[in-house]
């Protein structure tokens, strides 16, 4: 081999070059990532809604010796706890051996995903078809939701307070639901509309049946809305609910099916709800993997991120701060000092560069699939508006924590003024906690079927592990 010139050596020393997983990871390490992804796929399949994610998470935590904590409980050093917030968000934490005044290492992700929620008065009949009206939840591209198989997940609270769980469409042999679409032969007018006007929110009605109710003598009932009656009778028989119970329900139409490998090499993974379970799972498993850390570590899995983080289960709620207050009271520490010394990785997905749509990206500052976990110093839109912009010092501190252990890259979400988006980072940062965004690059983000790389998933887990230990 010929010796390098001074210029070549200087280049190697001074230039930054984004590296791919395949440049820096051995085949054995890539296999580790494939293995890790199996656990993730299982988690994902059982966590299509935030309620299901909380259940799945709580079961994993219990398995690992975590016990349920209620606000006001006393905690002890080394104790492992989780706070189940209304069944829709969860705070898991392990008390470290160092003083709480040293701060908490917080990993925050969200477990709600874009979908179609049922309206509170959803059921209607039209021309012999029974439908459920939906109101989309989070940012969806409406055209993506017709003609795909949809399942129904959620809960209904009956009079007197009993809540029944409903899941239809996932098990083998289950029926599914669908939103129909125009045939191309008759879509000329619709085709002429812009994409955002061709499909309307009020048009996203779920087809759920078409047979009438039969009287006991085997004749079709003479009652109006025969199909609706039949559907309601079936729901009543199975779940004991009546139509007015929909008013006290949270039912969601989500894409049917499980996480699957994509491609001949099985390296990419397709599924509904990667955003943001693909960050929630690595954060959670990092907490479980760092039992011997001296730090107090907390994994927050929030709800409502997709609709702005409002409400009691969103990250704008005071619960994170209240919980830190409670822990500090229990440990006789000033919680303001604890917060000031805490740090947070706000874990959310980023837009992976898609060669089919290069125009919306700025190549030097976008997330590349298979180049590791993505750090975003800021998110927001339109001139860094509405973002936590992490300080140089804090980003530097995280870089040092990652060292050689983690393959990471930096990115903005898309080209300036192409759009933009936010995360929970700013709500944590607003509690006086240094925070930076971190996550997995995703293709087709917010679509019913999103795509990630198993390698990026695993690097994200390693990033949380390095942060927690
Ligand atoms: Mn997200
Ligand atoms: Mn999202």
């Amino acid at each position: 081999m010929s010796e390098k010139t001074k210029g070549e050596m200087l280049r190697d020393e001074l230039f930054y070059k984004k590296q791919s997983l395949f440049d820096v990871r051995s085949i054995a390490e890539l296999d580790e990532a494939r293995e890790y992804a199996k656990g993730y796929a299982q988690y994902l399949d059982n966590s299509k809604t935030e309620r299901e994610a909380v259940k799945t998470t709580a079961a994993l935590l219990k398995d690992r010796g975590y016990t349920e904590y209620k606000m006001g409980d006393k905690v002890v050093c080394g104790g492992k706890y989780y706070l189940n917030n209304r069944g829709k968000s969860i705070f898991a934490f392990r008390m470290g051996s160092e003083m709480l005044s040293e701060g908490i290492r917080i990993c925050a992700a969200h477990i709600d995903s874009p979908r179609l929620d049922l309206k509170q008065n959803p059921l209607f009949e039209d021309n012999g078809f029974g439908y459920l009206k939906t109101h989309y939840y989070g940012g969806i591209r409406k055209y993506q939701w017709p003609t795909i198989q949809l399942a129904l997940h959620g809960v209904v609270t009956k009079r007197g307070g009993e809540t029944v769980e409903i899941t239809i469409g996932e098990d083998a042999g289950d029926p599914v639901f669908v939103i129909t679409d125009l045939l191309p032969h008759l879509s000329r007018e619709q085709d002429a509309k812009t994409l955002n006007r061709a499909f309307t929110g009020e048009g996203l009605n779920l087809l759920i049946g078409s047979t009438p109710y039969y009287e006991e003598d085997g004749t079709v009932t003479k009652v109006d809305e025969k199909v609706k009656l039949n559907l309601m009778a079936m729901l009543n028989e199975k779940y004991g609910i009546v139509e007015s119970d929909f008013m006290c329900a949270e039912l969601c139409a989500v894409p049917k099916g499980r996480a699957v490998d994509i491609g001949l090499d099985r390296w990419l993974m397709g599924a509904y709800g990667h955003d943001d379970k693909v960050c929630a799972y690595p954060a959670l498993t990092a907490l479980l993997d760092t039992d011997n850390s001296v730090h107090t570590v907390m994994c927050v899995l929030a709800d409502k991120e997709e609709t702005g983080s409002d409400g009691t289960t969103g990250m704008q709620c005071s619960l994170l701060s209240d919980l830190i207050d409670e822990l500090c009271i229990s440990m006789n520490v000033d919680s303001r000092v604890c917060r000031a010394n805490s740090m947070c990785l706000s874990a959310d997905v980023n837009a992976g560069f898609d060669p089919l749509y290069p125009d919306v990206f700025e190549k030097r500052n976008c997330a590349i699939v298979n180049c590791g976990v993505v750090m975003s110093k800021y998110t927001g839109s339109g001139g860094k508006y509405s973002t936590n912009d992490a300080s140089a010092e804090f980003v530097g501190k995280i870089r040092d924590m990652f060292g050689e252990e983690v393959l990471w890259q930096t990115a903005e979400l898309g080209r300036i003024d192409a759009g933009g988006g936010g995360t929970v980072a700013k709500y944590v940062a607003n509690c006086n906690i240094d925070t930076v965004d971190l996550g997995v690059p995703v293709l087709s983000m917010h679509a019913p079927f999103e795509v990630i790389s198993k390698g990026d998933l695993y690097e994200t887990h390693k990033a949380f592990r390095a942060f927690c230990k």
Side-chain angles (χ1 to χ4, degrees), residues 158 213 229-242:
K158 299 198 267 189
Y213 182 80
L229 180 63
N230 190 36
L231 293 166
M232 208 54 244
M234 287 191 284
L235 287 171
N236 182 260
E237 191 182 315
K238 179 123 195 237
Y239 303 105
I241 59 173
V242 296

Side-chain angles (χ1 to χ4, degrees), residues 353-371:
F353 175 80
D354 189 333
L356 302 188
Y357 305 97
D359 295 349
V360 300
F361 297 95
E362 189 266 286
K363 272 199 157 176
R364 293 174 203 284
N365 289 281
C366 68
I368 310 285
V369 171
N370 285 326
C371 287

Side-chain angles (χ1 to χ4, degrees), residues 110 112 114 274-277 279 305-306 347-350 422-423 445-446:
H110 69 91
D112 59 318
H274 280 315
D275 178 6
D276 187 31
K277 268 80 81 172
C279 296
E305 193 278 339
E306 296 295 358
D348 209 339
V349 296
N350 209 305
T423 67
M445 192 200 292
H446 282 208

Side-chain angles (χ1 to χ4, degrees), residues 396-416:
K397 194 186 266 186
I398 299 296
R399 170 167 72 174
D400 288 343
M401 283 184 186
F402 289 171
E404 296 295 303
E405 212 177 315
V406 180
L407 181 67
W408 66 281
Q409 54 183 321
T410 177
E412 298 191 357
L413 196 148
R415 187 166 53 72
I416 296 174

Side-chain angles (χ1 to χ4, degrees), residues 121-400:
N121 186 20
L123 183 61
F124 71 100
E125 176 174 340
D126 193 351
N127 281 284
F129 292 116
Y131 293 101
L132 291 168
K133 286 207 73 67
T134 68
H135 191 141
Y136 63 97
Y137 174 95
I140 64 162
R141 307 190 72 195
K142 299 185 187 83
Y143 76 89
Q144 295 175 335
W145 293 76
T147 72
I148 62 168
Q149 299 182 39
L150 296 166
L152 213 52
H153 291 232
V155 298
V156 182
T157 299
K158 299 198 267 189
R159 252 178 225 287
E162 188 204 344
T163 297
V164 290
E165 277 178 50
I166 295 182
T167 311
I168 309 170
E170 298 291 355
D171 291 338
D174 267 11
V176 296
F177 310 103
V178 72
I179 295 162
T180 53
D181 194 7
L182 267 180
L183 60 170
H185 316 67
L186 296 176
S187 69
R188 197 171 298 165
E189 262 177 45
Q190 189 193 46
D191 292 347
K193 292 180 183 170
T194 51
L195 199 54
N196 64 334
R197 302 196 56 170
F199 297 84
T200 64
E202 295 296 353
L204 299 179
N205 299 314
L206 209 58
L207 176 59
I208 65 158
S210 63
T211 52
Y213 182 80
Y214 282 83
E215 298 291 355
E216 278 171 340
D217 64 5
T219 59
V220 172
T221 186
K222 297 206 163 52
V223 172
D224 279 347
E225 301 184 299
K226 303 167 171 51
V227 173
K228 174 177 164 180
L229 180 63
N230 190 36
L231 293 166
M232 208 54 244
M234 287 191 284
L235 287 171
N236 182 260
E237 191 182 315
K238 179 123 195 237
Y239 303 105
I241 59 173
V242 296
E243 189 181 8
S244 61
D245 289 334
F246 281 121
M247 293 190 282
C248 310
E250 287 180 317
L251 290 164
C252 324
V254 297
K256 169 207 170 77
R258 295 168 166 273
V260 291
D261 289 342
I262 292 191
L264 298 174
D265 51 8
R266 297 177 170 267
W267 181 248
L268 303 174
M269 187 195 273
Y272 163 71
H274 280 315
D275 178 6
D276 187 31
K277 268 80 81 172
V278 77
C279 296
Y281 183 75
L284 175 66
T285 49
L287 172 71
L288 298 176
D289 278 4
T290 46
D291 259 353
N292 41 14
S293 167
V294 297
H295 310 296
T296 295
V297 178
M298 184 182 284
C299 171
V300 182
L301 303 184
D303 177 32
K304 292 284 177 284
E305 193 278 339
E306 296 295 358
T307 56
S309 296
D310 293 290
T312 52
T313 56
M315 281 306 277
Q316 294 206 56
C317 176
S318 66
L319 183 51
L320 172 66
S321 226
D322 292 349
L323 175 59
I324 294 174
D325 284 349
E326 284 297 324
L327 301 182
C328 287
I329 289 168
S330 181
M331 290 295 189
N332 260 318
V333 164
D334 185 334
S335 66
R336 289 165 298 195
V337 176
C338 175
R339 274 192 288 276
N341 290 324
S342 293
M343 296 187 275
C344 174
L345 294 182
S346 159
D348 209 339
V349 296
N350 209 305
F353 175 80
D354 189 333
L356 302 188
Y357 305 97
D359 295 349
V360 300
F361 297 95
E362 189 266 286
K363 272 199 157 176
R364 293 174 203 284
N365 289 281
C366 68
I368 310 285
V369 171
N370 285 326
C371 287
V373 59
V374 184
M375 191 172 347
S376 294
K377 189 172 173 295
Y378 48 87
T379 58
S381 60
K384 291 193 168 187
Y385 195 82
S386 200
T387 181
N388 161 57
D389 194 344
S391 71
E393 292 87 344
F394 185 60
V395 174
K397 194 186 266 186
I398 299 296
R399 170 167 72 174
D400 288 343

